[in-house]
């Protein structure tokens, strides 16, 4: 079974082809990051317009690289939500129209299901059930992944997502967008102990997160001060440390609570080296296997959508002729 996947939920335009027998055949992606950088964040209208320009050539590229003709496809999967509604509509309309024109079934996929299943694209694929930490610019959640479509959210952020907290703090420190990677680089030169930031919600039971208080603590610490390079690096160091320790402590708690022995980490913040190092230590201490999709599948991509769509179509599901785009859609 061969499935074309399409992703346009935010600022990445992507297409991929997944084959049930041979695995991933191709994936093509265009990132709009430069387009939005001057504004310091994603501008929804510009994102939609750019998806319109880039999507069809990427679909063509993915099919060519996979050496698959449209008639050989068994279906088209697309991200139906959650995300920016205008951006979603571009992918949904193109996917639904292509499927109709080619006489194939279409299936709208939940973006977070894509992220949760992304590690299945790797050679060391986890087996159900596993624990997943999803940390991106839009989401922070811990989930028990028991099987296809069987997900239990056991913790999520009450306010800012982890990536959003990185981006906002980076902005305060005068770093360019996207701030997460820039802040992490700055933190490499930071020294511990210069600042004391809270570890949000660690003093309470439960698996939820909250990062807005930490952001406020940074505001208060630097307000009215002119920071030299070393001090900025020290703030970045302690901020990163506070986020990482919080995430790791909640993962440890979740592993204990569920008894699960495999933790999968997905989303852009999963690229953070400090987080990876501390999760590795946790894994060694607790006998927890920690897995990551390859870096390009940690962030938004169409391979994960093609894969999730393949699993759904293989299970006999597909949509009617409706074009689905749902900005807010619980998993
Ligand atoms: O998953 P993603 O590419 O996009 C979505 O949000 O869907 O995640 C992007 C987020 C941004 O907030 C970015 O600043 C953050 O991930 N990020 C990082 C790092 N690399 C990306 N945050 C901390 N450290 C990093 N190395
Ligand atoms: Zn995403």
């Amino acid at each position: 079974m061969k499935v074309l996947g399409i992703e346009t939920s935010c600022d990445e335009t992507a297409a991929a082809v997944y084959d049930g027998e041979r695995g991933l055949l191709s994936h093509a992606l265009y990132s709009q990051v430069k387009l939005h950088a001057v504004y310091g964040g994603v501008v929804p209208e510009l994102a939609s317009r750019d998806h319109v320009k880039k999507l069809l050539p990427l679909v063509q590229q993915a099919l060519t690289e996979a050496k698959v003709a449209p008639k050989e496809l068994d279906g088209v999967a697309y991200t139906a939500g959650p995300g920016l509604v205008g951006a979603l509509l571009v992918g949904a309309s193109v996917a639904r129209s292509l499927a109709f024109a080619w006489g194939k079934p279409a299936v709208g996929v939940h973006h977070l299901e894509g992220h949760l299943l992304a590690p299945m694209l790797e050679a060391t694929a986890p087996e159900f059930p596993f624990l997943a930490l999803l940390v991106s610019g839009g989401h922070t959640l811990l989930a028990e992944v028991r099987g296809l479509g069987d997900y239990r959210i056991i913790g999520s952020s009450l306010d800012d997502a982890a990536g959003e907290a990185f981006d906002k703090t980076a902005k305060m420190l005068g770093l360019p967008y996207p701030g997460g990677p820039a802040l992490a680089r700055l933190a490499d030169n930071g020294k511990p102990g210069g600042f004391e930031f809270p570890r949000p919600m660690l003093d309470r039971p439960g698996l939820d997160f909250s990062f807005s208080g930490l952001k406020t603590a940074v505001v208060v610490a630097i307000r009215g001060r002119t920071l030299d390079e070393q001090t900025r690096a020290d703030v970045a160091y302690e901020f990163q440390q506070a986020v990482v320790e919080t995430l790791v402590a909640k993962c440890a708690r979740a592993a204990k609570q569920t008894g699960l022995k495999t933790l999968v980490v997905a989303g852009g913040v999963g690229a953070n080296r400090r987080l990876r190092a501390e999760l590795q230590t946790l894994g060694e201490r607790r006998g927890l296997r920690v897995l990551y999709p390859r870096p390009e599948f940690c962030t938004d991509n169409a391979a994960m959508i093609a894969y999730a769509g393949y699993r759904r179509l293989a299970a006999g599901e597909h949509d009617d002729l409706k074009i689905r785009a749902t900005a807010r859609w619980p998993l």
Side-chain angles (χ1 to χ4, degrees), residues 7 9-10 111-112 115 134 136-139 267-268 298-301 304:
E7 156 67 38
S9 66
C10 189
H111 182 77
L112 297 187
H115 276 302
L134 175 58
S136 71
H139 305 275
C298 267
T299 52
D300 289 350
N301 66 86
M304 66 185 193

Side-chain angles (χ1 to χ4, degrees), residues 1-4 70 73-78 95-96 98-108 309 312-314 316-321:
M1 185 178 252
K2 295 180 184 62
V3 178
L4 169 69
L73 287 171
D74 296 282
V76 181
Y78 63 94
R96 193 70 204 78
L98 288 176
F100 182 71
W102 294 336
K104 310 289 180 188
V107 61
R312 294 252 163 211
L313 287 162
E317 287 179 35
H318 64 81
D319 296 349
D320 55 21
L321 287 176

